[in-house]
């Protein structure tokens, strides 16, 4: 049953969509756009501080952003196909990115491909550019998670903690329709991402990381927190050996990021040019 009214809790937004005449304005989309803008601005400052041109960031983002959005959606649909292609489902909804459902792993994979294309066209180093972008990408993920808040999604198991998230009945899991309070997993991940951004900035200054290592550290650190988030989530997901699929993805990506970090360490520290 619902917790007593006096229990402290984070209220969910009453709505996530507003209408300007016939035009729907969706909080989820606004959060994604805000995250992209924050990432671009932060990357411009870091790229210019490293000796690059600020305009390079926008030129690369023109490729990286659409690739990243497409990759995020493709990953989500491929890992949860029953949400769109099972009997009684509408396959066209696989295209409705405004309803939520952008997998970070696909976004990073295809976003990196788009960034590579942009960097190659400009003749600049992708590892150096990725290092400049790393903190901004982490902060963008944190901002984007606010979109999940407006959609009343990405929450965890029921809880009575003071910072529990109150979920409206229509958004609750089928297994717990009478329970109102849940872990605010979107908030946990957002705070973790902000911590990751601070970590990589500090580590770069403290240890003089070579190119490629900053982004690798960012990805590795993110996967640790994301694995913890996956253990709390209760939304529908495919499982492998009793664990959510994304938990295994975290392990694989973590191993890859650590490998890249180590291989980058073995490169000559004299290679500091921003050109490819």
């Amino acid at each position: 049953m619902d917790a007593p009214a006096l229990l402290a809790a984070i209220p969910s937004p009453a709505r996530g969509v507003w209408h300007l005449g016939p035009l729907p304005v969706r909080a989820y989309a606004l959060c994604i756009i805000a995250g992209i803008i924050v990432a671009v601005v932060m990357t411009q400052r870091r790229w210019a501080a490293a000796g690059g041109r600020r305009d390079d960031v926008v030129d690369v983002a023109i490729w990286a952003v659409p690739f990243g959005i497409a990759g995020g959606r493709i990953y989500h649909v491929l890992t949860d196909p029953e949400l769109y292609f099972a009997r009684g489902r509408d396959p066209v909804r696989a295209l409705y990115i405004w309803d939520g459902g952008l997998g970070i792993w696909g976004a990073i994979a295809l976003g990196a491909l788009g960034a590579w294309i942009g960097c190659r066209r400009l003749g600049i180093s992708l590892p150096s550019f990725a290092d400049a972008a790393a903190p901004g990408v982490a902060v963008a993920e944190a901002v984007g998670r606010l979109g999940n808040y407006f959609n009343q999604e990405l929450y965890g198991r029921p809880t009575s903690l003071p910072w529990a998230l109150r979920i409206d009945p229509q958004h609750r899991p089928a297994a717990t329709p009478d329970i109102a309070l849940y872990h605010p997993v979107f908030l946990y991940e957002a705070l973790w991402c902000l911590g990751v951004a601070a970590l990589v900035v500090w580590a770069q200054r403290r240890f003089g990381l070579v190119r490629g290592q900053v982004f690798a550290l960012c990805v590795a650190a993110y996967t640790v927190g994301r694995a913890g988030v996956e253990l709390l989530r209760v939304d529908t997901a495919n499982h492998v050996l009793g664990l959510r699929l994304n938990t295994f993805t975290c392990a694989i990506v973590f191993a890859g990021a650590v490998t890249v970090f180590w291989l980058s360490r073995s490169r000559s520290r004299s290679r500091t040019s921003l050109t490819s």
Side-chain angles (χ1 to χ4, degrees):
M1 65 178 60
D2 286 4
L6 292 179
L7 181 64
I10 301 172
S12 287
R15 62 171 60 186
V17 183
W18 301 267
H19 288 83
L20 297 178
L23 179 66
V25 179
R26 302 179 186 275
Y28 185 84
L30 293 177
C31 290
I32 296 297
I33 293 171
I36 291 171
I37 292 173
V38 169
V40 168
V41 171
M42 290 182 64
T43 304
Q44 283 181 322
R45 291 178 179 176
R46 286 174 53 82
W47 186 241
R53 297 187 315 119
R54 293 174 64 91
D55 290 345
D56 290 344
V57 178
V58 175
D59 292 339
V60 174
I62 289 173
W63 290 92
V65 170
F67 271 68
I69 293 175
R73 190 59 175 180
I74 290 171
Y75 178 88
H76 168 71
V77 173
L78 289 179
T79 54
D80 291 297
E82 66 279 356
L83 297 178
Y84 308 100
F85 303 110
R87 179 173 297 182
R89 298 283 186 170
D90 182 6
V92 176
R93 296 191 68 84
L95 303 176
Y96 292 2
I97 61 174
W98 51 85
D99 285 340
L102 292 176
I104 184 64
W105 313 118
I108 290 177
L110 280 193
L113 174 60
W116 175 80
I117 294 173
C119 287
R120 185 175 178 83
R121 289 170 61 89
L122 294 172
I124 60 180
S125 166
L126 176 60
S128 296
F129 186 86
D131 283 351
V137 170
V139 174
E141 175 71 0
V143 175
R145 283 306 178 200
L146 294 178
N148 299 125
Y149 172 55
F150 280 93
N151 282 355
Q152 294 199 41
E153 58 189 4
L154 194 58
Y155 53 85
R157 298 192 295 266
T159 182
S160 59
L161 291 170
W163 56 84
L165 176 66
R166 185 175 296 276
I167 298 297
D168 294 335
Q170 65 270 28
H171 296 289
R172 297 173 189 171
T176 55
D178 297 327
I179 297 179
L181 303 180
Y182 299 82
H183 279 283
V185 169
F186 81 92
L187 180 60
Y188 297 164
E189 184 171 342
L191 293 175
W192 182 265
C193 288
L194 294 178
V196 168
L199 169 67
V200 296
V201 170
W202 171 81
Q204 184 178 26
R205 294 175 178 174
R206 176 66 177 80
F207 301 108
L209 302 180
V210 297
R211 63 180 192 170
Q213 284 190 310
V214 177
F215 189 78
L217 176 61
C218 182
V219 173
Y222 171 75
T223 61
V224 174
R226 180 58 184 266
V229 162
E230 291 296 327
L231 295 176
L232 285 174
R233 292 177 66 170
V234 293
D235 54 305
T236 302
N238 289 311
H239 289 69
V240 177
L241 300 177
L243 295 175
R244 294 170 65 94
L245 177 60
N246 276 335
T247 305
F248 289 92
T249 305
C250 285
I252 294 170
V253 174
F254 176 82
V258 170
T259 299
V260 170
F261 186 92
W262 182 257
L263 292 177
S264 298
R265 179 185 177 88
S266 66
R267 296 174 183 170
S268 171
R269 291 179 177 268
S270 64
R271 294 186 60 190
T272 58
S273 173
L274 298 184
T275 58
S276 55

